[in-house]
Amino acid sequence: MRADSNTMNLVTERFFPTFPLARYELFSGNDVLAVQNYVSTIIARHQLSSSSLRPVGQFRHCEVDLGDVSLDTMSYEFENEDFVIDCPSVGNDYRFQITLNGNGLLAGRSSHVFGKDRLVMLQPHMHLKETLSPNYRHLMVKLKREALENTLESLLGHPLNKELRFRQELIDIQGPIYSLLNYVGLLCTEYDLDQTLYTSSRIRRSSSNLLLQLALSSLQHNYSDQLNAPPANLAPSYINQIKEYIQAHYRDEINLNELARFSGYSVRSIFYSFKKFLGVTPMQYLRDYRLAISRELLLNANCGNRTITEIALDCGFSSMSKFAGYYKEKYGELPSDTRRQTAL
């Protein structure tokens, strides 16, 4: 059951009593084209249009960058002006949008209204089209994809075997989401009060890690059932030994028979135990580990003189087409796209 609008207004005002992070302003302007060009550089290419040719008002953007997470407040302070944002792809990261003032209309297969009672969840590379009411303000929390996936893998205790996808684009604010908003509001308040916190890399890193974990715990996604399941029995020691063997020999050709010879257990027992305790088959674990190593190397500027083929072969992949296919399936982009990030 959704909370009524009066209750949600009080909740939002409690968490975000003023326009957050105003002292961290990066941009302000009143020209729609200039605003469009600016937002295109910090988020993704998009079209911004208003209900009149020369709207009167101001756009503001403020940001606190915590490393793996950033907090961005944006205001479209234009009287009597609706704005339409059309973004073909929101980029490679996850974001959720908290409405601070006004409301919007999210377009898709069907249109849905959102306001202070709902979060807007943006998945990597999704097409975003929304209409914002006059004087609309929101706080957008960006969660870097790689950091969020690494955090999830750490919480699960095994590599991801499919792309992380949140279950809804519009999320009613209720239950555990209050804890998430409370922490975001606390961060905004603390950074507004004391700029010295922002200069401490240790505090930024700790804040970022906790926010990533809260997002994964409170927002429903395709790994939520695993994440929230009661603690299972610990994996047998031989499973951990096989994991260590795979991590030490991932460059080599490895098959189930070799793992059986190494561990002294049958192929069937190994296969069953990996599925039961890690949620993946032994070969999926090996492939995911190889992909994780290859991604680290592709993102490492010191490996810029190595070709993608060299990195793939060094990580145990013999087929470049399969490597590219597995990589895109897991990370949502081709290896060449990742390599280009290191050149920016």
Side-chain angles (χ1 to χ4, degrees), residues 46-61:
H46 75 291
Q47 294 291 322
L48 178 65
S49 57
S50 65
S51 50
S52 69
L53 294 176
R54 295 185 178 276
V56 177
Q58 186 178 45
F59 168 86
R60 296 176 66 197
H61 171 229

Side-chain angles (χ1 to χ4, degrees), residues 7-24:
T7 300
M8 288 314 307
N9 285 341
L10 291 174
V11 169
T12 307
E13 289 168 6
R14 171 191 162 199
F15 293 144
F16 311 102
T18 60
F19 183 64
L21 311 178
R23 68 195 305 174
Y24 300 94

Side-chain angles (χ1 to χ4, degrees), residues 168-230:
Q168 296 171 296
E169 292 178 354
L170 286 177
I171 304 170
D172 294 340
I173 297 177
Q174 57 187 358
I177 295 178
Y178 286 124
S179 298
L180 176 63
L181 289 190
N182 187 41
Y183 187 62
V184 174
L186 175 65
L187 285 177
C188 291
T189 300
E190 292 299 318
Y191 281 108
D192 274 334
L193 291 174
D194 187 358
Q195 282 183 299
T196 61
L197 292 175
Y198 189 51
T199 64
S200 169
S201 59
R202 179 178 59 83
I203 291 177
R204 292 204 311 273
R205 185 166 57 251
S206 298
S207 301
S208 176
N209 289 340
L210 181 53
L211 190 47
L212 290 169
Q213 293 184 46
L214 279 173
L216 289 167
S217 299
S218 59
L219 302 173
Q220 291 295 304
H221 49 80
N222 55 338
Y223 286 94
S224 290
D225 292 342
Q226 291 184 50
L227 198 59
N228 299 324

